[in-house]
Each structure stands twice: as structure tokens, then as C-alpha cells.
Amino acid sequence: GHTRDEGTFFIAGDPKFGKFTRDDARERAKTLAGDNGLALLAAAETYRKDPSGTTLIADLWTYTWAFAGSVTIAERKAAQESSVYAYVLDWKTPVVNGVLGATHALDVPLVFNTVGRAYALLGTGAEPVALAQRMQAAWIAFARSGDPNVEGLPAWPRYNSESRATMFFDAACHVESDPFPEVRRLLCA
């Protein structure tokens, strides 16, 4: 699995962060995905409502780096008939006025339930605490039994190449089948 906005972490230090244009996104798409770049950018635009250039560049990072790798691993492990469960952390951190979204490594203090040591990344309040409790319970259940299904989460089906069931962790968790399908076809074919 991965976080929904992995890429914000990698571009947040750029002086143009928050000011990237769609032209910048087109150039970055070519750099990150070569011949598939413009098609990938067009697909990325369909998964957000009126995305900014900065959001699109972050998404291109997320898709080419984290999403493609996660899907490739899940597909290969599922073909071995392994117990595979895919996830996307969709919960957005409120810190820094929320500009980082569900950034890279945001899932780590949630899975290990170290919220009290990660206020600078997660913020404070009941929401990250509740999410950490659900995520940690799922990881512990998976480590013990190979099945992450726990009370407090919707039914989480195994990942396979037909349904590609993926748990989206957020304040209200849900499962989606084959999220970001056009991106998957472009990057993982």
C-alpha cells in the first residue's frame, strides 16, 4: 500500500510548491513517465476535482513511484496465491494548513499507533487516534493470522487481479475495486 499523496513530501521543498502550473505538470509528466507522460497526466486529472499544477505533480510522483510499485508487488504476490491485502491511506494531515494531504510516511505512526510522538506530522485530536487504533488492529491481525479484517473496518477482501480490492483508510474507511484503473493500465501493463 501507499499514501494517497506520497508525492507532496518529495516536492514540498521546491520553491514553486503551491505555485506549479499545469504547464509545469506537463513537463514533469514527460520527465517522470516518458512516452506515457501526457496520457498519465490526463488520467491523473480525472481522479481529482479541478486539480492544481502542484497537486498534479504530486500525483505523478505518487503514481509513478508508490502506486506502480504497490500494484506490481500485489499482483505478483497474489499470483503466488499469497494472502495479499492492498491499502491506500487517504486521511489528510491537518498540519501545515493541510497542504501535504496524505503525504509520504503518514501511515507509519498510524500503523504503529505512535500518534503521541507524531503530533508534528499528524496534528492532535481524536481523528488520528481513532484511525491509528483501526490501522494498528488490522496490521496486528494480519501478522497473527494473515487476515487484517477486524471490528471497526468494513470487510476487506483479499487482493486479486480481477477485483483489485483496496482498503482506503480515512475517517470513514471504505473498499474500492481497482482504484485508479487508467493509471494502472499505463504504468503496470
Side-chain angles (χ1 to χ4, degrees), residues 46-111:
T46 68
Y47 300 123
R48 302 272 193 180
K49 184 179 178 180
D50 195 29
S52 69
T54 298
T55 298
L56 290 170
I57 290 172
D59 284 351
L60 292 167
W61 267 95
T62 300
Y63 294 140
T64 56
W65 179 68
F67 174 78
S70 292
V71 169
T72 299
I73 291 168
E75 297 277 334
R76 289 178 182 169
K77 292 305 287 182
Q80 297 171 343
E81 299 182 20
S82 296
S83 185
V84 178
Y85 294 84
Y87 78 94
V88 172
L89 176 63
D90 208 20
W91 183 79
K92 294 158 186 59
T93 180
V95 301
V96 198
N97 297 318
V99 300
L100 297 175
T103 195
H104 174 67
L106 189 64
D107 47 348
V108 175
L110 295 169
V111 167

Side-chain angles (χ1 to χ4, degrees), residues 140-181:
I140 290 170
F142 181 77
R144 286 184 176 151
S145 69
D147 185 343
N149 282 285
V150 293
E151 188 175 322
L153 287 178
W156 189 352
R158 276 186 180 191
Y159 184 96
N160 62 54
S161 61
E162 289 80 45
S163 70
R164 297 183 172 89
T166 303
M167 177 68 73
F168 277 70
F169 284 98
D170 203 340
C173 301
H174 67 278
V175 173
E176 290 186 21
S177 292
D178 197 13
F180 319 114

Side-chain angles (χ1 to χ4, degrees), residues 105-136:
L106 189 64
D107 47 348
V108 175
L110 295 169
V111 167
F112 289 102
N113 200 357
T114 57
V115 173
R117 294 184 183 139
Y119 291 137
L121 183 60
L122 300 171
T124 59
E127 204 168 86
V129 170
L131 184 56
Q133 290 169 346
R134 289 192 304 272
M135 289 182 75
Q136 184 182 51

